Amino acid sequence: MERTTVLITGCSSGIGLGLAARLAADSTRRFKVYATMRDLAKGERLLEHLGSHCPDTLEVLQLDVTDPHSLAAAVQRVQEQRLDVLVCNAGVGLMGPLETCSDQAMKTLFDVNFFGAVRTIQAFLPAMKRRRAGRIIVSSSIGGLQGLPFNAVYCASKFAVEGLCESLAIVLRPFNIHVTLVECGPVHTSFLANLQCPDPEGSELEGLDAETRGLYRRYLRHCQSLFRDAAQEVEDVLPVFLEAIVSLCPPLRCASTQLLAPLWRLRLGSPDGSAYVRAMHDFVFGGSEVSGDQP
């Protein structure tokens, strides 16, 4: 049986690691997986995930989506194979009041989340178009569908990814190339631990007004309870990616959770946006118009 060749970015942890391990360990051996990551030293986690053996269904490659030379090297390595599925999963986060987000932090986030996806697709798309076949699966977020408080820059990057993929899907239809966005909610990964997130009591917020600082404290408490009560495990999210890989006609969008679906429907049903803004404020901050915590 001919194997489906899959290349995944961002495999050092979380969803990328879990998906690479799941595909490489598939009992039917129907996948050949190129698991890529910026730092190859972290590849040990993937091998540990698979146990004591390293199957011939897996190859770990260095790939930094912010480095064109690294991308070119990965393309060179894979070009002897027919790449059937490209999974753009590499991503970073940035949380906090907008006033505290530095230019450099915002540029870095966009360089990975948006331009990294663009570069990766650009690198592998020509070969897919020549074969008139392929799948591009992109890790998105519920933050790519709706604005989330204190995640303005992260949401902006994911909104950009959503627009990129929706536009691309229209053009790639005649080429038999399917584009799928997987919109995830809170997932128990190292993403949150690695998130750039200022301490509400730290010096980074020194010049911030008291009302915004209070809202930020409340938001962080909201996040803690959300992750405690509603976050998914990586294993719960993987079936959505697997379905996009094997489905005869995968959708443009699929969600791994229905956590904020009522708010998303409200956003669609209220074109001027005001009902959504009120509802999201109430959901996060408890429905009070009062500033909340004071320093």
Side-chain angles (χ1 to χ4, degrees):
M1 182 178 65
E2 194 172 16
R3 287 177 177 171
T4 299
T5 305
V6 185
L7 184 140
I8 310 168
T9 66
C11 290
S12 62
S13 63
I15 292 170
L17 184 151
L19 183 60
R22 174 75 68 88
L23 295 176
D26 182 79
S27 59
T28 63
R29 303 173 69 81
R30 55 186 164 149
F31 300 106
K32 166 67 176 183
V33 182
Y34 289 95
T36 77
M37 59 195 71
R38 183 177 58 84
D39 182 3
L40 276 182
K42 295 181 179 178
E44 291 302 317
R45 294 183 193 170
L46 181 53
L47 301 181
E48 288 168 9
H49 221 67
L50 287 167
S52 59
H53 66 288
C54 179
D56 63 358
T57 52
L58 174 72
E59 187 168 335
V60 179
L61 294 180
Q62 195 279 336
L63 198 164
D64 180 351
V65 298
T66 68
D67 180 358
H69 298 294
S70 174
L71 262 167
V75 171
Q76 183 75 19
R77 177 67 189 86
V78 177
Q79 68 178 359
E80 297 172 5
Q81 299 276 340
R82 180 197 69 237
L83 183 61
D84 300 297
V85 183
L86 172 64
V87 182
C88 296
N89 173 70
V92 294
L94 178 64
M95 181 192 292
L98 185 63
E99 301 95 313
T100 69
C101 298
S102 70
D103 280 2
Q104 188 55 55
M106 292 188 285
K107 287 174 181 176
T108 297
L109 179 126
F110 264 84
D111 202 24
V112 176
N113 291 4
F114 177 69
F115 290 109
V118 171
R119 290 186 198 98
T120 306
I121 293 169
Q122 284 177 326
F124 292 99
L125 183 59
M128 286 185 173
K129 291 175 82 172
R130 284 193 296 271
R131 288 197 320 276
R132 304 187 80 84
R135 295 179 185 224
I136 299 169
I137 300 170
V138 181
S139 289
S140 185
S141 166
I142 54 176
L145 298 173
Q146 51 206 104
L148 305 174
F150 296 112
N151 280 274
V153 182
Y154 176 76
C155 287
S157 73
K158 291 300 185 179
F159 267 59
V161 165
E162 292 272 335
L164 168 77
C165 291
E166 186 171 296
S167 300
L168 196 57
I170 299 165
V171 175
L172 295 182
R173 184 178 170 85
F175 292 91
N176 191 34
I177 298 172
H178 297 277
V179 180
T180 299
L181 290 148
V182 179
E183 283 116 2
C184 299
V187 182
H188 287 301
T189 69
S190 59
F191 181 85
L192 198 63
N194 297 330
L195 184 69
Q196 294 185 63
C197 175
D199 182 343
E201 312 308 329
S203 59
E204 290 174 276
L205 302 191
E206 231 169 51
L208 191 68
D209 64 276
E211 190 168 351
T212 303
R213 193 191 290 248
L215 289 170
Y216 182 51
R217 286 196 194 96
R218 292 167 69 182
Y219 175 70
L220 292 177
R221 288 201 297 269
H222 169 82
C223 283
Q224 288 172 351
S225 64
L226 203 62
F227 268 84
R228 184 184 63 245
D229 301 333
Q232 294 177 290
E233 299 299 332
V234 169
E235 292 300 313
D236 299 327
V237 173
L238 296 186
V240 183
F241 285 85
L242 294 169
E243 180 63 23
I245 290 171
V246 303
S247 174
L248 289 176
C249 189
L252 172 62
R253 290 187 173 89
C254 47
S256 73
T257 178
Q258 294 300 306
L259 179 64
L260 296 185
L263 285 165
W264 167 237
R265 288 192 288 269
L266 178 63
R267 184 176 183 273
L268 292 176
S270 176
D272 76 356
S274 55
Y276 172 75
V277 169
R278 285 194 300 271
M280 178 57 83
H281 182 277
D282 291 351
F283 173 65
V284 174
F285 300 114
S288 172
E289 294 297 331
V290 181
S291 62
D293 295 355
Q294 297 296 323

